[in-house]
PDB file of all heavy atoms in Angstrom:
ATOM      1  N   ALA A   1      -1.881  67.976  14.906  1.00 57.00           N
ATOM      2  CA  ALA A   1      -0.424  67.882  14.661  1.00 57.00           C
ATOM      3  C   ALA A   1      -0.074  68.463  13.245  1.00 57.00           C
ATOM      4  O   ALA A   1      -1.069  68.753  12.523  1.00 57.00           O
ATOM      5  CB  ALA A   1      -0.150  66.343  14.629  1.00 57.00           C
ATOM      6  N   ASN A   2       1.131  68.549  13.020  1.00 75.00           N
ATOM      7  CA  ASN A   2       1.636  69.091  11.760  1.00 75.00           C
ATOM      8  C   ASN A   2       2.851  68.298  11.481  1.00 75.00           C
ATOM      9  O   ASN A   2       3.940  68.627  12.032  1.00 75.00           O
ATOM     10  CB  ASN A   2       1.883  70.545  11.876  1.00 75.00           C
ATOM     11  CG  ASN A   2       2.160  71.227  10.561  1.00 75.00           C
ATOM     12  OD1 ASN A   2       2.298  70.528   9.513  1.00 75.00           O
ATOM     13  ND2 ASN A   2       2.259  72.518  10.531  1.00 75.00           N
ATOM     14  N   VAL A   3       2.779  67.272  10.515  1.00 79.00           N
ATOM     15  CA  VAL A   3       3.908  66.425  10.351  1.00 79.00           C
ATOM     16  C   VAL A   3       4.485  66.746   8.936  1.00 79.00           C
ATOM     17  O   VAL A   3       3.757  66.665   7.979  1.00 79.00           O
ATOM     18  CB  VAL A   3       3.462  64.952  10.323  1.00 79.00           C
ATOM     19  CG1 VAL A   3       4.558  64.004  10.142  1.00 79.00           C
ATOM     20  CG2 VAL A   3       2.763  64.653  11.589  1.00 79.00           C
ATOM     21  N   MET A   4       5.762  67.201   9.013  1.00 76.00           N
ATOM     22  CA  MET A   4       6.372  67.549   7.643  1.00 76.00           C
ATOM     23  C   MET A   4       7.157  66.340   7.146  1.00 76.00           C
ATOM     24  O   MET A   4       7.755  65.480   7.961  1.00 76.00           O
ATOM     25  CB  MET A   4       7.457  68.689   7.855  1.00 76.00           C
ATOM     26  CG  MET A   4       8.073  69.094   6.465  1.00 76.00           C
ATOM     27  SD  MET A   4       9.056  70.500   6.685  1.00 76.00           S
ATOM     28  CE  MET A   4       9.884  70.696   5.180  1.00 76.00           C
ATOM     29  N   SER A   5       7.213  66.197   5.892  1.00 80.00           N
ATOM     30  CA  SER A   5       7.890  65.062   5.298  1.00 80.00           C
ATOM     31  C   SER A   5       9.338  64.986   5.727  1.00 80.00           C
ATOM     32  O   SER A   5      10.021  65.881   5.564  1.00 80.00           O
ATOM     33  CB  SER A   5       7.778  65.236   3.740  1.00 80.00           C
ATOM     34  OG  SER A   5       8.785  64.276   3.120  1.00 80.00           O
ATOM     35  N   PRO A   6       9.778  63.805   6.244  1.00 78.00           N
ATOM     36  CA  PRO A   6      11.138  63.695   6.612  1.00 78.00           C
ATOM     37  C   PRO A   6      12.114  63.687   5.387  1.00 78.00           C
ATOM     38  O   PRO A   6      13.257  63.931   5.525  1.00 78.00           O
ATOM     39  CB  PRO A   6      11.132  62.355   7.349  1.00 78.00           C
ATOM     40  CG  PRO A   6      10.048  61.607   6.860  1.00 78.00           C
ATOM     41  CD  PRO A   6       9.005  62.623   6.583  1.00 78.00           C
ATOM     42  N   ILE A   7      11.566  63.242   4.278  1.00 74.00           N
ATOM     43  CA  ILE A   7      12.311  63.251   3.062  1.00 74.00           C
ATOM     44  C   ILE A   7      12.907  64.622   2.784  1.00 74.00           C
ATOM     45  O   ILE A   7      14.034  64.780   2.423  1.00 74.00           O
ATOM     46  CB  ILE A   7      11.494  62.754   1.868  1.00 74.00           C
ATOM     47  CG1 ILE A   7      11.083  61.318   2.143  1.00 74.00           C
ATOM     48  CG2 ILE A   7      12.262  62.831   0.547  1.00 74.00           C
ATOM     49  CD1 ILE A   7      10.092  60.691   1.124  1.00 74.00           C
ATOM     50  N   ILE A   8      12.082  65.692   2.959  1.00 73.00           N
ATOM     51  CA  ILE A   8      12.595  67.060   2.730  1.00 73.00           C
ATOM     52  C   ILE A   8      13.214  67.609   4.011  1.00 73.00           C
ATOM     53  O   ILE A   8      14.304  68.187   3.886  1.00 73.00           O
ATOM     54  CB  ILE A   8      11.365  67.904   2.297  1.00 73.00           C
ATOM     55  CG1 ILE A   8      10.719  67.504   0.958  1.00 73.00           C
ATOM     56  CG2 ILE A   8      11.817  69.329   2.159  1.00 73.00           C
ATOM     57  CD1 ILE A   8      11.780  67.489  -0.197  1.00 73.00           C
ATOM     58  N   ALA A   9      12.653  67.352   5.148  1.00 72.00           N
ATOM     59  CA  ALA A   9      13.112  68.053   6.335  1.00 72.00           C
ATOM     60  C   ALA A   9      14.579  67.542   6.718  1.00 72.00           C
ATOM     61  O   ALA A   9      15.381  68.281   7.144  1.00 72.00           O
ATOM     62  CB  ALA A   9      12.230  67.641   7.590  1.00 72.00           C
ATOM     63  N   GLU A  10      14.904  66.279   6.467  1.00 72.00           N
ATOM     64  CA  GLU A  10      16.180  65.756   6.729  1.00 72.00           C
ATOM     65  C   GLU A  10      17.226  65.941   5.615  1.00 72.00           C
ATOM     66  O   GLU A  10      18.369  65.898   5.845  1.00 72.00           O
ATOM     67  CB  GLU A  10      16.137  64.239   7.092  1.00 72.00           C
ATOM     68  CG  GLU A  10      15.366  63.925   8.372  1.00 72.00           C
ATOM     69  CD  GLU A  10      15.114  62.503   8.609  1.00 72.00           C
ATOM     70  OE1 GLU A  10      15.625  61.655   7.850  1.00 72.00           O
ATOM     71  OE2 GLU A  10      14.381  62.254   9.603  1.00 72.00           O
ATOM     72  N   ARG A  11      16.728  66.324   4.460  1.00 71.00           N
ATOM     73  CA  ARG A  11      17.777  66.448   3.365  1.00 71.00           C
ATOM     74  C   ARG A  11      17.783  67.740   2.736  1.00 71.00           C
ATOM     75  O   ARG A  11      18.498  68.026   1.827  1.00 71.00           O
ATOM     76  CB  ARG A  11      17.389  65.382   2.203  1.00 71.00           C
ATOM     77  CG  ARG A  11      17.467  63.901   2.720  1.00 71.00           C
ATOM     78  CD  ARG A  11      16.933  63.028   1.731  1.00 71.00           C
ATOM     79  NE  ARG A  11      18.104  62.412   0.939  1.00 71.00           N
ATOM     80  CZ  ARG A  11      17.985  61.823  -0.203  1.00 71.00           C
ATOM     81  NH1 ARG A  11      16.757  61.680  -0.773  1.00 71.00           N
ATOM     82  NH2 ARG A  11      18.992  61.402  -0.879  1.00 71.00           N
ATOM     83  N   ILE A  12      17.067  68.754   3.367  1.00 72.00           N
ATOM     84  CA  ILE A  12      16.997  70.021   2.803  1.00 72.00           C
ATOM     85  C   ILE A  12      18.387  70.728   2.687  1.00 72.00           C
ATOM     86  O   ILE A  12      18.682  71.382   1.779  1.00 72.00           O
ATOM     87  CB  ILE A  12      16.002  70.968   3.654  1.00 72.00           C
ATOM     88  CG1 ILE A  12      15.631  72.133   2.757  1.00 72.00           C
ATOM     89  CG2 ILE A  12      16.642  71.400   4.919  1.00 72.00           C
ATOM     90  CD1 ILE A  12      14.391  72.890   3.311  1.00 72.00           C
ATOM     91  N   TRP A  13      19.311  70.240   3.605  1.00 69.00           N
ATOM     92  CA  TRP A  13      20.641  70.850   3.539  1.00 69.00           C
ATOM     93  C   TRP A  13      21.453  70.366   2.348  1.00 69.00           C
ATOM     94  O   TRP A  13      22.437  71.038   1.983  1.00 69.00           O
ATOM     95  CB  TRP A  13      21.444  70.446   4.910  1.00 69.00           C
ATOM     96  CG  TRP A  13      21.570  68.934   5.008  1.00 69.00           C
ATOM     97  CD1 TRP A  13      20.799  68.077   5.618  1.00 69.00           C
ATOM     98  CD2 TRP A  13      22.636  68.195   4.407  1.00 69.00           C
ATOM     99  NE1 TRP A  13      21.188  66.794   5.551  1.00 69.00           N
ATOM    100  CE2 TRP A  13      22.331  66.843   4.767  1.00 69.00           C
ATOM    101  CE3 TRP A  13      23.773  68.489   3.694  1.00 69.00           C
ATOM    102  CZ2 TRP A  13      23.127  65.809   4.390  1.00 69.00           C
ATOM    103  CZ3 TRP A  13      24.592  67.456   3.321  1.00 69.00           C
ATOM    104  CH2 TRP A  13      24.282  66.164   3.732  1.00 69.00           C
ATOM    105  N   ALA A  14      21.034  69.230   1.771  1.00 71.00           N
ATOM    106  CA  ALA A  14      21.811  68.722   0.644  1.00 71.00           C
ATOM    107  C   ALA A  14      21.190  69.082  -0.736  1.00 71.00           C
ATOM    108  O   ALA A  14      21.687  68.716  -1.709  1.00 71.00           O
ATOM    109  CB  ALA A  14      21.842  67.154   0.730  1.00 71.00           C
ATOM    110  N   LEU A  15      20.037  69.797  -0.708  1.00 75.00           N
ATOM    111  CA  LEU A  15      19.400  70.194  -1.993  1.00 75.00           C
ATOM    112  C   LEU A  15      20.228  71.182  -2.685  1.00 75.00           C
ATOM    113  O   LEU A  15      20.803  72.138  -2.053  1.00 75.00           O
ATOM    114  CB  LEU A  15      17.984  70.770  -1.724  1.00 75.00           C
ATOM    115  CG  LEU A  15      16.960  69.701  -1.152  1.00 75.00           C
ATOM    116  CD1 LEU A  15      15.698  70.413  -0.826  1.00 75.00           C
ATOM    117  CD2 LEU A  15      16.773  68.538  -1.997  1.00 75.00           C
ATOM    118  N   PRO A  16      20.262  71.154  -3.976  1.00 77.00           N
ATOM    119  CA  PRO A  16      21.046  72.076  -4.786  1.00 77.00           C
ATOM    120  C   PRO A  16      20.196  73.365  -5.014  1.00 77.00           C
ATOM    121  O   PRO A  16      19.803  73.698  -6.079  1.00 77.00           O
ATOM    122  CB  PRO A  16      21.293  71.360  -6.090  1.00 77.00           C
ATOM    123  CG  PRO A  16      20.138  70.459  -6.292  1.00 77.00           C
ATOM    124  CD  PRO A  16      19.845  70.030  -4.875  1.00 77.00           C
ATOM    125  N   LEU A  17      19.871  73.937  -3.821  1.00 82.00           N
ATOM    126  CA  LEU A  17      19.103  75.177  -3.893  1.00 82.00           C
ATOM    127  C   LEU A  17      19.716  76.361  -3.168  1.00 82.00           C
ATOM    128  O   LEU A  17      20.521  76.151  -2.279  1.00 82.00           O
ATOM    129  CB  LEU A  17      17.743  74.995  -3.185  1.00 82.00           C
ATOM    130  CG  LEU A  17      16.766  73.949  -3.731  1.00 82.00           C
ATOM    131  CD1 LEU A  17      15.681  73.687  -2.757  1.00 82.00           C
ATOM    132  CD2 LEU A  17      16.294  74.392  -5.049  1.00 82.00           C
ATOM    133  N   SER A  18      19.511  77.544  -3.643  1.00 83.00           N
ATOM    134  CA  SER A  18      19.995  78.788  -2.976  1.00 83.00           C
ATOM    135  C   SER A  18      19.275  78.889  -1.583  1.00 83.00           C
ATOM    136  O   SER A  18      18.202  78.322  -1.409  1.00 83.00           O
ATOM    137  CB  SER A  18      19.711  79.918  -3.784  1.00 83.00           C
ATOM    138  OG  SER A  18      18.298  80.277  -3.874  1.00 83.00           O
ATOM    139  N   GLY A  19      19.867  79.620  -0.736  1.00 85.00           N
ATOM    140  CA  GLY A  19      19.143  79.841   0.622  1.00 85.00           C
ATOM    141  C   GLY A  19      17.801  80.543   0.462  1.00 85.00           C
ATOM    142  O   GLY A  19      16.885  80.176   1.155  1.00 85.00           O
ATOM    143  N   SER A  20      17.686  81.386  -0.496  1.00 89.00           N
ATOM    144  CA  SER A  20      16.351  82.045  -0.710  1.00 89.00           C
ATOM    145  C   SER A  20      15.350  81.042  -1.232  1.00 89.00           C
ATOM    146  O   SER A  20      14.208  81.205  -0.931  1.00 89.00           O
ATOM    147  CB  SER A  20      16.450  83.233  -1.739  1.00 89.00           C
ATOM    148  OG  SER A  20      17.101  82.887  -2.887  1.00 89.00           O
ATOM    149  N   ALA A  21      15.749  80.057  -2.070  1.00 89.00           N
ATOM    150  CA  ALA A  21      14.756  79.067  -2.520  1.00 89.00           C
ATOM    151  C   ALA A  21      14.339  78.151  -1.422  1.00 89.00           C
ATOM    152  O   ALA A  21      13.240  77.738  -1.273  1.00 89.00           O
ATOM    153  CB  ALA A  21      15.340  78.248  -3.630  1.00 89.00           C
ATOM    154  N   VAL A  22      15.334  77.811  -0.520  1.00 88.00           N
ATOM    155  CA  VAL A  22      15.041  76.986   0.623  1.00 88.00           C
ATOM    156  C   VAL A  22      14.022  77.747   1.610  1.00 88.00           C
ATOM    157  O   VAL A  22      13.076  77.118   2.077  1.00 88.00           O
ATOM    158  CB  VAL A  22      16.329  76.506   1.514  1.00 88.00           C
ATOM    159  CG1 VAL A  22      15.932  75.928   2.755  1.00 88.00           C
ATOM    160  CG2 VAL A  22      17.157  75.620   0.575  1.00 88.00           C
ATOM    161  N   LYS A  23      14.275  78.992   1.761  1.00 90.00           N
ATOM    162  CA  LYS A  23      13.313  79.789   2.589  1.00 90.00           C
ATOM    163  C   LYS A  23      11.938  79.834   1.971  1.00 90.00           C
ATOM    164  O   LYS A  23      10.931  79.737   2.696  1.00 90.00           O
ATOM    165  CB  LYS A  23      13.957  81.099   2.807  1.00 90.00           C
ATOM    166  CG  LYS A  23      13.162  82.020   3.738  1.00 90.00           C
ATOM    167  CD  LYS A  23      13.940  83.317   3.974  1.00 90.00           C
ATOM    168  CE  LYS A  23      13.153  84.236   4.910  1.00 90.00           C
ATOM    169  NZ  LYS A  23      13.724  85.616   4.910  1.00 90.00           N
ATOM    170  N   PHE A  24      11.874  79.950   0.665  1.00 94.00           N
ATOM    171  CA  PHE A  24      10.670  80.031  -0.022  1.00 94.00           C
ATOM    172  C   PHE A  24       9.914  78.748   0.062  1.00 94.00           C
ATOM    173  O   PHE A  24       8.730  78.672   0.246  1.00 94.00           O
ATOM    174  CB  PHE A  24      10.888  80.501  -1.539  1.00 94.00           C
ATOM    175  CG  PHE A  24       9.586  80.763  -2.188  1.00 94.00           C
ATOM    176  CD1 PHE A  24       8.779  81.925  -1.906  1.00 94.00           C
ATOM    177  CD2 PHE A  24       9.014  79.916  -3.293  1.00 94.00           C
ATOM    178  CE1 PHE A  24       7.631  82.071  -2.521  1.00 94.00           C
ATOM    179  CE2 PHE A  24       7.909  80.151  -3.850  1.00 94.00           C
ATOM    180  CZ  PHE A  24       7.174  81.264  -3.514  1.00 94.00           C
ATOM    181  N   LEU A  25      10.674  77.595  -0.039  1.00 92.00           N
ATOM    182  CA  LEU A  25      10.049  76.272   0.218  1.00 92.00           C
ATOM    183  C   LEU A  25       9.471  76.200   1.582  1.00 92.00           C
ATOM    184  O   LEU A  25       8.324  75.684   1.690  1.00 92.00           O
ATOM    185  CB  LEU A  25      11.070  75.145  -0.124  1.00 92.00           C
ATOM    186  CG  LEU A  25      10.707  73.778   0.327  1.00 92.00           C
ATOM    187  CD1 LEU A  25       9.442  73.339  -0.542  1.00 92.00           C
ATOM    188  CD2 LEU A  25      11.761  72.745   0.132  1.00 92.00           C
ATOM    189  N   GLN A  26      10.045  76.707   2.574  1.00 89.00           N
ATOM    190  CA  GLN A  26       9.454  76.733   3.868  1.00 89.00           C
ATOM    191  C   GLN A  26       8.234  77.436   3.984  1.00 89.00           C
ATOM    192  O   GLN A  26       7.226  77.155   4.506  1.00 89.00           O
ATOM    193  CB  GLN A  26      10.524  77.272   4.885  1.00 89.00           C
ATOM    194  CG  GLN A  26      11.695  76.280   5.064  1.00 89.00           C
ATOM    195  CD  GLN A  26      12.764  76.857   5.962  1.00 89.00           C
ATOM    196  OE1 GLN A  26      13.067  78.032   5.914  1.00 89.00           O
ATOM    197  NE2 GLN A  26      13.489  75.983   6.596  1.00 89.00           N
ATOM    198  N   TYR A  27       8.169  78.685   3.271  1.00 93.00           N
ATOM    199  CA  TYR A  27       6.958  79.439   3.136  1.00 93.00           C
ATOM    200  C   TYR A  27       5.819  78.530   2.426  1.00 93.00           C
ATOM    201  O   TYR A  27       4.800  78.592   2.895  1.00 93.00           O
ATOM    202  CB  TYR A  27       7.236  80.689   2.310  1.00 93.00           C
ATOM    203  CG  TYR A  27       5.958  81.347   1.728  1.00 93.00           C
ATOM    204  CD1 TYR A  27       5.088  82.083   2.415  1.00 93.00           C
ATOM    205  CD2 TYR A  27       5.637  81.112   0.322  1.00 93.00           C
ATOM    206  CE1 TYR A  27       3.916  82.564   1.953  1.00 93.00           C
ATOM    207  CE2 TYR A  27       4.520  81.744  -0.165  1.00 93.00           C
ATOM    208  CZ  TYR A  27       3.640  82.481   0.589  1.00 93.00           C
ATOM    209  OH  TYR A  27       2.546  82.929   0.095  1.00 93.00           O
ATOM    210  N   LEU A  28       6.255  77.892   1.241  1.00 94.00           N
ATOM    211  CA  LEU A  28       5.190  77.150   0.605  1.00 94.00           C
ATOM    212  C   LEU A  28       4.543  76.074   1.481  1.00 94.00           C
ATOM    213  O   LEU A  28       3.403  75.826   1.605  1.00 94.00           O
ATOM    214  CB  LEU A  28       5.842  76.516  -0.683  1.00 94.00           C
ATOM    215  CG  LEU A  28       6.153  77.461  -1.721  1.00 94.00           C
ATOM    216  CD1 LEU A  28       6.907  76.739  -2.902  1.00 94.00           C
ATOM    217  CD2 LEU A  28       4.990  78.264  -2.234  1.00 94.00           C
ATOM    218  N   VAL A  29       5.576  75.385   2.208  1.00 91.00           N
ATOM    219  CA  VAL A  29       5.030  74.296   3.081  1.00 91.00           C
ATOM    220  C   VAL A  29       4.009  74.782   4.175  1.00 91.00           C
ATOM    221  O   VAL A  29       2.967  74.303   4.475  1.00 91.00           O
ATOM    222  CB  VAL A  29       6.132  73.539   3.844  1.00 91.00           C
ATOM    223  CG1 VAL A  29       5.720  72.576   4.829  1.00 91.00           C
ATOM    224  CG2 VAL A  29       6.983  72.745   2.735  1.00 91.00           C
ATOM    225  N   SER A  30       4.485  75.931   4.836  1.00 90.00           N
ATOM    226  CA  SER A  30       3.532  76.594   5.763  1.00 90.00           C
ATOM    227  C   SER A  30       2.310  77.086   5.212  1.00 90.00           C
ATOM    228  O   SER A  30       1.249  77.073   5.918  1.00 90.00           O
ATOM    229  CB  SER A  30       4.314  77.762   6.482  1.00 90.00           C
ATOM    230  OG  SER A  30       4.415  78.865   5.643  1.00 90.00           O
ATOM    231  N   ARG A  31       2.232  77.560   4.011  1.00 92.00           N
ATOM    232  CA  ARG A  31       1.072  77.999   3.339  1.00 92.00           C
ATOM    233  C   ARG A  31       0.202  76.997   2.706  1.00 92.00           C
ATOM    234  O   ARG A  31      -0.972  77.197   2.403  1.00 92.00           O
ATOM    235  CB  ARG A  31       1.584  79.056   2.236  1.00 92.00           C
ATOM    236  CG  ARG A  31       0.469  79.940   1.653  1.00 92.00           C
ATOM    237  CD  ARG A  31      -0.105  80.798   2.789  1.00 92.00           C
ATOM    238  NE  ARG A  31      -0.976  81.802   2.102  1.00 92.00           N
ATOM    239  CZ  ARG A  31      -2.366  81.427   1.830  1.00 92.00           C
ATOM    240  NH1 ARG A  31      -2.856  80.340   2.137  1.00 92.00           N
ATOM    241  NH2 ARG A  31      -3.129  82.435   1.383  1.00 92.00           N
ATOM    242  N   SER A  32       0.756  75.755   2.549  1.00 93.00           N
ATOM    243  CA  SER A  32       0.045  74.704   1.897  1.00 93.00           C
ATOM    244  C   SER A  32      -1.002  74.057   2.757  1.00 93.00           C
ATOM    245  O   SER A  32      -0.950  74.120   4.007  1.00 93.00           O
ATOM    246  CB  SER A  32       0.990  73.637   1.339  1.00 93.00           C
ATOM    247  OG  SER A  32       1.563  72.983   2.442  1.00 93.00           O
ATOM    248  N   ASP A  33      -1.948  73.449   2.169  1.00 94.00           N
ATOM    249  CA  ASP A  33      -2.845  72.616   2.901  1.00 94.00           C
ATOM    250  C   ASP A  33      -2.192  71.225   3.227  1.00 94.00           C
ATOM    251  O   ASP A  33      -1.236  70.889   2.529  1.00 94.00           O
ATOM    252  CB  ASP A  33      -4.151  72.335   2.043  1.00 94.00           C
ATOM    253  CG  ASP A  33      -4.994  73.649   1.883  1.00 94.00           C
ATOM    254  OD1 ASP A  33      -4.835  74.555   2.593  1.00 94.00           O
ATOM    255  OD2 ASP A  33      -5.765  73.597   0.798  1.00 94.00           O
ATOM    256  N   PHE A  34      -2.799  70.436   4.042  1.00 94.00           N
ATOM    257  CA  PHE A  34      -2.276  69.126   4.376  1.00 94.00           C
ATOM    258  C   PHE A  34      -2.408  68.332   3.060  1.00 94.00           C
ATOM    259  O   PHE A  34      -3.328  68.434   2.364  1.00 94.00           O
ATOM    260  CB  PHE A  34      -3.082  68.417   5.444  1.00 94.00           C
ATOM    261  CG  PHE A  34      -2.865  69.046   6.851  1.00 94.00           C
ATOM    262  CD1 PHE A  34      -4.039  69.460   7.526  1.00 94.00           C
ATOM    263  CD2 PHE A  34      -1.599  69.200   7.355  1.00 94.00           C
ATOM    264  CE1 PHE A  34      -3.745  70.128   8.752  1.00 94.00           C
ATOM    265  CE2 PHE A  34      -1.474  69.666   8.620  1.00 94.00           C
ATOM    266  CZ  PHE A  34      -2.503  70.180   9.321  1.00 94.00           C
ATOM    267  N   GLY A  35      -1.431  67.629   2.684  1.00 94.00           N
ATOM    268  CA  GLY A  35      -1.394  66.894   1.442  1.00 94.00           C
ATOM    269  C   GLY A  35      -0.748  67.668   0.306  1.00 94.00           C
ATOM    270  O   GLY A  35      -0.491  67.124  -0.815  1.00 94.00           O
ATOM    271  N   GLY A  36      -0.389  68.969   0.473  1.00 94.00           N
ATOM    272  CA  GLY A  36       0.369  69.649  -0.542  1.00 94.00           C
ATOM    273  C   GLY A  36      -0.400  70.639  -1.440  1.00 94.00           C
ATOM    274  O   GLY A  36       0.267  71.364  -2.186  1.00 94.00           O
ATOM    275  N   ALA A  37      -1.627  70.764  -1.423  1.00 93.00           N
ATOM    276  CA  ALA A  37      -2.385  71.741  -2.224  1.00 93.00           C
ATOM    277  C   ALA A  37      -1.933  73.092  -1.791  1.00 93.00           C
ATOM    278  O   ALA A  37      -1.846  73.382  -0.560  1.00 93.00           O
ATOM    279  CB  ALA A  37      -3.855  71.576  -2.117  1.00 93.00           C
ATOM    280  N   LEU A  38      -1.704  74.011  -2.836  1.00 93.00           N
ATOM    281  CA  LEU A  38      -1.334  75.355  -2.460  1.00 93.00           C
ATOM    282  C   LEU A  38      -2.509  76.344  -2.870  1.00 93.00           C
ATOM    283  O   LEU A  38      -2.702  76.491  -4.102  1.00 93.00           O
ATOM    284  CB  LEU A  38      -0.146  75.795  -3.282  1.00 93.00           C
ATOM    285  CG  LEU A  38       1.175  75.230  -2.722  1.00 93.00           C
ATOM    286  CD1 LEU A  38       2.310  75.229  -3.751  1.00 93.00           C
ATOM    287  CD2 LEU A  38       1.610  75.914  -1.487  1.00 93.00           C
ATOM    288  N   PRO A  39      -3.345  76.629  -1.911  1.00 91.00           N
ATOM    289  CA  PRO A  39      -4.635  77.352  -2.216  1.00 91.00           C
ATOM    290  C   PRO A  39      -4.401  78.870  -2.523  1.00 91.00           C
ATOM    291  O   PRO A  39      -5.221  79.697  -2.171  1.00 91.00           O
ATOM    292  CB  PRO A  39      -5.471  77.199  -0.936  1.00 91.00           C
ATOM    293  CG  PRO A  39      -4.427  77.043   0.156  1.00 91.00           C
ATOM    294  CD  PRO A  39      -3.216  76.380  -0.513  1.00 91.00           C
ATOM    295  N   VAL A  40      -3.232  79.204  -3.079  1.00 90.00           N
ATOM    296  CA  VAL A  40      -2.876  80.583  -3.284  1.00 90.00           C
ATOM    297  C   VAL A  40      -2.321  80.760  -4.667  1.00 90.00           C
ATOM    298  O   VAL A  40      -1.544  80.024  -5.130  1.00 90.00           O
ATOM    299  CB  VAL A  40      -1.994  81.214  -2.119  1.00 90.00           C
ATOM    300  CG1 VAL A  40      -0.616  80.365  -2.092  1.00 90.00           C
ATOM    301  CG2 VAL A  40      -1.665  82.647  -2.246  1.00 90.00           C
ATOM    302  N   ARG A  41      -2.748  81.852  -5.366  1.00 90.00           N
ATOM    303  CA  ARG A  41      -2.250  82.078  -6.640  1.00 90.00           C
ATOM    304  C   ARG A  41      -0.845  82.696  -6.604  1.00 90.00           C
ATOM    305  O   ARG A  41      -0.530  83.364  -5.624  1.00 90.00           O
ATOM    306  CB  ARG A  41      -3.215  83.011  -7.452  1.00 90.00           C
ATOM    307  CG  ARG A  41      -4.504  82.398  -7.675  1.00 90.00           C
ATOM    308  CD  ARG A  41      -5.372  83.479  -8.277  1.00 90.00           C
ATOM    309  NE  ARG A  41      -6.738  82.857  -8.509  1.00 90.00           N
ATOM    310  CZ  ARG A  41      -7.370  82.781  -9.631  1.00 90.00           C
ATOM    311  NH1 ARG A  41      -6.772  83.385 -10.717  1.00 90.00           N
ATOM    312  NH2 ARG A  41      -8.500  82.170  -9.806  1.00 90.00           N
ATOM    313  N   GLN A  42      -0.147  82.675  -7.693  1.00 89.00           N
ATOM    314  CA  GLN A  42       1.296  83.109  -7.723  1.00 89.00           C
ATOM    315  C   GLN A  42       1.342  84.626  -7.420  1.00 89.00           C
ATOM    316  O   GLN A  42       2.213  85.085  -6.679  1.00 89.00           O
ATOM    317  CB  GLN A  42       1.834  82.890  -9.054  1.00 89.00           C
ATOM    318  CG  GLN A  42       3.352  83.255  -9.144  1.00 89.00           C
ATOM    319  CD  GLN A  42       4.061  82.746 -10.408  1.00 89.00           C
ATOM    320  OE1 GLN A  42       3.601  81.777 -10.962  1.00 89.00           O
ATOM    321  NE2 GLN A  42       5.065  83.362 -10.798  1.00 89.00           N
TER     322      GLN A  42
END
């Protein structure tokens, strides 16, 4: 399974972020390990 936090998934529309930052957040979630570790350098 792949369960995304409902805190972010349900409120992403209300975040004070640009569309490009929201899209980048989706990239980060997809690229992250379970639990949030980002095993990739900037």
Side-chain angles (χ1 to χ4, degrees):
N2 187 353
V3 184
M4 185 175 170
S5 167
I7 294 170
I8 298 299
E10 293 174 5
R11 297 173 98 195
I12 201 164
W13 62 270
L15 296 176
L17 297 172
S18 67
S20 54
V22 169
K23 188 176 173 186
F24 189 69
L25 173 58
Q26 292 170 331
Y27 158 78
L28 291 176
V29 170
S30 71
R31 192 62 173 84
S32 68
D33 293 338
F34 293 120
L38 286 164
V40 58
R41 293 174 182 236
Q42 187 170 334

